[in-house]
Amino acid sequence: MPVTLTEEQQDLAHAIGEFARREVPDKARRDELTAEGPHSMEIYRKMAEQGWLGIALPEAYGGSGGSMTDLLVFLEETSYHQIPIGGFGTTIITAAALERSGSEEQKQRLLGDVVNGELLAISMSEPGAGSDVGGLTCKAEKTEDGWVVNGQKTWCSNAHISSHILLVARTSTEGGKHDGLTMFMVPTDAEGLEIHGIETMGGKEVNDLYFTDCHLPADAVVGAEGQGWRQLMAGLNLERMILAGLMLGLARRAFDDTLAYVKERKQFGRPVGSFQAMRHRIADNATELACTKLLVHDTARTIDENPGALFPREASMAKLKATELAKHLSLEGMQMLGGYGYATEYGMERLLRQSVVSTVYGGTSEIQRDIIGKTLGL
């Protein structure tokens, strides 16, 4: 099925492009906005004024009640135009978990803030538990008036710029390893919580979290005690599609920048793109990009037609294909641009730094392949 967008979705894509050309017109402006990391609060507030940040949230909480395809268009276009809003993905993942499982008070208090430009983070990984979420050991113990949390979390994206963190902690050791996990909403200024940044090739993105006798009120629990794993699983479609949409946009950017370069760059008296070796690589990459766009958009359409259903195979395929392609096309771009691909002036190296980690976070490519294999009865 071809990728078809409604008139409203086409208008959204056009509006995002116009916004980018106005607010982030060139590399110098982008570098200025991202000097402190890949998320610009200045740009994010302006996007909130456009009413875009609530695209995936219900109208009851100030959102626009958009579909998965609406969200996909937003993600793809903001990524393609390199608008520096790196905190949006984790915010929407966290907000969606709140919308599904949170109390009415939590939703009223926090979802409106998200629409207005506040950021949220989610924390699952620990030094000894990454892909194996059931191995979490960060402990929350019940007290007379709430909970006390002790332990370490790691790789928590955007905690340093967020107002709250959705913490997944162990509240019981009974039952299977996925039992006894509970979600808590923790203010980032909570006493007993320390946030330490981790230096990465992508800049200031992720953090270690240290909980030392961090007291939380009883109403900090999100959803049902001990049901954190099941609540998290309900959001897998969204998390994987967010990453697929972002990396589809980045893959398009890498391809278009590479194509423009090989059409203009001349060696031996003609454009380098006219040589067969280069031309065939471009042709293969264009084909892969078209196939990936069809897969990602078709998965979004399938989810929209079956709200509430889980699509582990389809969502994992979309995430796997889009993230691997974004990394591949960024590397291809660096190779075809030659020395200029390595230079920060041309920006291809930035695309590589942004894409290479996408095959790790949100479930590694190996985990996605394992999930796909299991759905095939293997």
Side-chain angles (χ1 to χ4, degrees), residues 306-337:
N306 301 270
L310 287 180
F311 294 93
R313 180 191 305 171
E314 294 84 351
S316 286
M317 284 180 172
K319 196 271 183 184
L320 172 65
K321 184 63 177 175
T323 57
E324 290 289 348
L325 181 69
K327 181 172 68 173
H328 173 71
L329 293 189
S330 300
L331 283 167
E332 284 282 275
M334 289 193 73
Q335 186 69 27
M336 294 188 203
L337 268 65

Side-chain angles (χ1 to χ4, degrees), residues 24-142:
V24 197
D26 51 35
K27 182 179 181 299
R29 177 59 173 154
R30 187 177 303 109
D31 287 347
E32 177 185 349
L33 290 167
T34 58
E36 296 300 320
H39 183 90
S40 164
M41 288 305 301
E42 175 186 342
I43 293 297
Y44 204 59
R45 299 293 188 194
K46 290 182 178 180
M47 298 199 90
E49 293 171 3
Q50 299 293 320
W52 289 337
L53 301 185
I55 191 168
L57 297 178
E59 295 179 5
Y61 305 105
S64 56
S67 65
M68 183 67 77
T69 302
D70 294 333
L71 177 59
L72 177 59
V73 170
F74 178 81
L75 294 164
E76 184 180 348
E77 293 303 316
T78 54
S79 182
Y80 177 79
H81 292 289
Q82 301 181 78
I83 300 174
I85 54 169
F88 177 77
T90 51
T91 296
I92 291 302
I93 290 169
T94 306
L98 268 176
E99 195 270 320
R100 287 190 308 272
S101 305
S103 67
E104 187 60 29
E105 187 278 330
Q106 288 170 332
K107 288 186 275 192
Q108 291 288 351
R109 178 165 50 90
L110 294 172
L111 295 185
D113 290 343
V114 167
V115 173
N116 292 323
E118 288 297 324
L119 296 168
L120 302 176
I122 183 168
S123 180
M124 290 184 281
S125 294
E126 296 178 7
S131 297
D132 181 13
V133 179
L136 299 183
T137 60
C138 181
K139 183 184 296 185
E141 296 180 302
K142 191 173 290 188

Side-chain angles (χ1 to χ4, degrees), residues 80 172 182 300 346:
Y80 177 79
S172 172
T182 302
Y346 276 68

